[in-house]
Amino acid sequence: HLLLFLLFVGPFNCFASYSRATELFYSLNEGLPAGVLIGSLARDLRLPTAGGQHPGAPQTPLSFSLASHGLGEQYVQLDNRSGELHTSAVEIDREALCVESSGATIFGGAAAISFSSPSSESCLLLLDVLVLPQEYFRLVKVKIAIRDVNDNAPHFPVPHIRLSVPENAPVNTRLAIEHPALDPDVGTNGVQTYRLRDNYGVFTLDVEENESGERTPYLIVMGALDRETQEEYVTVIVAEDGGTPPLVGSATLTIGISDINDNCPQFSNSQLNVTLYGNSSLGTHVSTVHAVDMDLGSNAQITYSYSQKVPQLSRELFHLDESSGVITLSSKLDGDTPRLHRLIILGNGPGCIPAVITVLVTIIKVMMRPPEVIPRFIANEVEGVVYLKELEPINTPIAFFTIKDPDEKYKVSCYLDGDGPFRLSPYKPYNNEYLLETTEPLDYETQQLYEISVVAWNSEGFHVNKIIKVQILDDNDNSPVFSQQLIELSIEENNVPNAFLTKLHAVDADSGERGQVSYFLGPDAPSYFSLDKTTGVLTVSTQLDREEKEKYRYTVKAVDSGFPPRESIATVTITVLDKNDNSPRFINKDFSFFVPENFPGFGEIGVISVTDADAGQNGWVALSVLNGSDIFVIDTGKGVLRAKVSLDREQQSSYVLWIEAVDGGDPTLSSTAKITVLLLDINDNPPLVLFPQSNMSYLLVLPSTLPGSPITEVYAVDKDTGMNAVIAYSIIGRRGPRPESFRIDPKTGNITLEESLMQNDYGLYRLLVKVSDHGYPEPLHSTVMVNLFVNDTVSNESYIESLLRKEPDISVEEKQPQISIEPTHKKMESASCMPTLVSLSIISLGSIALVTGMGIYICIRKGKKHHRADENLEVQIPLNGKISLHMLEKKPVEISNI
């Protein structure tokens, strides 16, 4: 907070001075925002303001303006009326405006930026301001000093600085580091200190400041250095300025340790013992001496020379190469040559005491010349190496060898030494001529190079070896071989495009181009598989669907680059692994099942077919009832829908269920289907008589009633539907003075008077009415007693009731009532009933056709119980028998108000 206070309050503490020369001085920090007050020219010049109270106040307002437009105008804003000078929107960057190295002023019209000297930290912005009107006219020189802030971090001109230190540098050696860090800021905001992140315990840094204030870092050696132990040190040099907070910059510093000649040559051994045969030829290699110097470059150069103690004879007999240290035989040996030579050899390095090694050469006297082995090559030979193709046939000749004794005194024999399919045999009829040939086919892949020797020896046991190298040339005789002939792969379905499957690998034992293998898909491979020709990477470019195709089988080829090319074939099988990407699928979205009512509990209502295209557990489907689970249950394995209890159509005629199918995947997928269970009616309800309400009720019929007049009605309902609910009415028993005077409509149940009533027709009429449905396979019926009292008045009700309590002697008619096809329980016009009757007939016929099979089953089961059921559902009246009113009264009749 103190820093922010100084940055924004500092300009308000600008100092100003006024002199007769009309010069004003201000100072402010660089980087201030727009609108910061630099100074008030009117106040600092002590100019009177217009309208003032003092006598010298001007009558017209003062006007301030820059004398001319220049560089300074973009950094300041001058209020023409008040003379206040503010910073503009263009930020002042001291490092961009004031280049100290120039030490010059950059002019731009009436404004300029200048330094008093190259070493000064001042940076001035010069402005010329005109003050008007004429009586107050003056030219004001405004100088604004730009103060530096720490807004730049030190930086090195190069990211990598290299410094070389000799390994013998003494402690406290000081080395100036070139390319010191630069910081555009000045004063304490510039570079102040340097440090090393890792000094390795042998280095440190110091900073020296010259007269101009420039700081140069110096590397100081604090410990002994040895290039042979460590030849380079890599660390980081960090420069830090003195700002608050300080800013830093860094560069990589590599300190290389330069070599000095502080090591001398050394031999690993002090003496070598060498044996040389007396018949050795000129140039024979005797020995090689080798010394080592740990220094580098010219400091490690070694030359070899004989010591002065070596006799001149030995010097002339053995030549010493001063650079390589190779000793060879330079003069011919004879019988007078000394048998022992002590060669003292010096290893010389620059500025060093020579290293010394002694080579003791013992010459063995030989009295005879060795046998001679003269080859004449048939196969291609270059510098002692014979080249044969691997497909060359057996007994291919390689070379002739002539074996002889140069002194022609001794018998010479020869033989072949070494392993390989080669044979050396005498070539008849010539003497001392031998033929070298192959004995087996050559195989480059088995062995590429053979080294054999033709050994000749004379009768004195003197041996001579002629070494021959046989190089086998490769031919394209091998086909590429897959690591597996059957490549079995698997990949999950719904893979990403260009999914990696495998990397094929085939090996060709041939060399060079003949062993380079390229890969190709066979003609039976689908187009969406790709095989990289060079790498053998097999990919699939599209998504695979297991439900579309689960297995792929095709061939791939590996072809070499020989001529003619050879190839091999492998088979790729790809198994697409299942993912749970298919929901269970019902064969139908809506299932409808027709079931007869009273169907036994847990009987099979229907089978719900559902499939899942996935495999394994993903394709396993479990079924459940989402609603109505207290009544219905479903067999998960077979999909069989069952009802837990017997269903009654009269309670509910249909059920709508929702079945959910859930698979066994993770996460699970599901689907639902709608199930409609329709209950088919069974004639299990007899008609229910609603009127008359009791067998003991009666109705007064006046004698004056005209024939055809309606007297009363029998009203009944049936809970069944269709033909099972079509009701017919009939009178099956009569009693009274003239009982045939009344008839009943079989359709409506209306009872009418058929004939006029006479004087002798007065009395109680009792009609036994049978209410029967048209159910299948057996109709059900109920009976009711209709009591009619023909009289003018009811004067003695107790008498009538006593008559009703007596059991009537009624003969039951055997004639069946006319069958009605209209399921109605109300009086209707005959013309309006015809469409209803036709519709009900069609519905009834369809229902009968659907339940025929089930009806037969029910009939068989209920055949034995039918008689007992009838006893429960209707009043049993013996034909042509007497009717017991007491029995009729005991029949339960449901009473309701109509």
Side-chain angles (χ1 to χ4, degrees), residues 124-196:
L124 297 178
L125 179 65
L126 305 181
L127 300 174
D128 290 342
V129 179
L130 296 178
V131 181
L132 296 173
Q134 185 67 33
E135 59 269 24
Y136 293 97
F137 170 77
R138 68 181 65 188
L139 177 63
V140 182
K141 297 285 186 176
V142 179
K143 295 182 180 181
I144 303 174
I146 310 300
R147 293 195 297 263
D148 182 49
V149 297
N150 191 28
D151 57 346
N152 293 280
H155 69 279
F156 288 88
V158 293
H160 192 185
I161 302 172
R162 187 170 185 85
L163 190 64
S164 180
V165 181
E167 63 177 325
N168 62 343
V171 176
N172 293 328
T173 298
R174 300 171 65 86
L175 299 170
I177 297 177
E178 298 181 359
H179 311 293
L182 304 176
D183 192 330
D185 297 326
V186 296
T188 57
N189 292 333
V191 178
Q192 298 297 317
T193 61
Y194 292 86
R195 68 176 184 274
L196 295 176

Side-chain angles (χ1 to χ4, degrees), residues 259-312:
D259 184 53
I260 64 169
N261 190 24
D262 57 346
N263 291 278
C264 291
Q266 292 181 352
F267 287 105
S268 58
N269 298 314
S270 60
Q271 180 174 310
L272 295 177
N273 297 321
V274 180
T275 301
L276 187 65
Y277 288 103
N279 60 351
S280 298
S281 57
L282 297 178
T284 299
H285 177 269
V286 177
S287 183
T288 300
V289 294
H290 181 68
V292 176
D293 191 323
M294 298 298 295
D295 293 326
L296 293 178
S298 60
N299 294 330
Q301 290 182 355
I302 301 175
T303 59
Y304 302 93
S305 62
Y306 284 124
S307 171
Q308 295 181 358
K309 297 179 181 180
V310 177
Q312 185 64 32

Side-chain angles (χ1 to χ4, degrees), residues 516-538:
Q516 294 180 358
V517 180
S518 300
Y519 302 90
F520 302 93
L521 289 173
D524 54 344
S527 60
Y528 40 83
F529 288 96
S530 301
L531 180 58
D532 190 278
K533 175 182 178 182
T534 304
T535 63
V537 173
L538 181 63

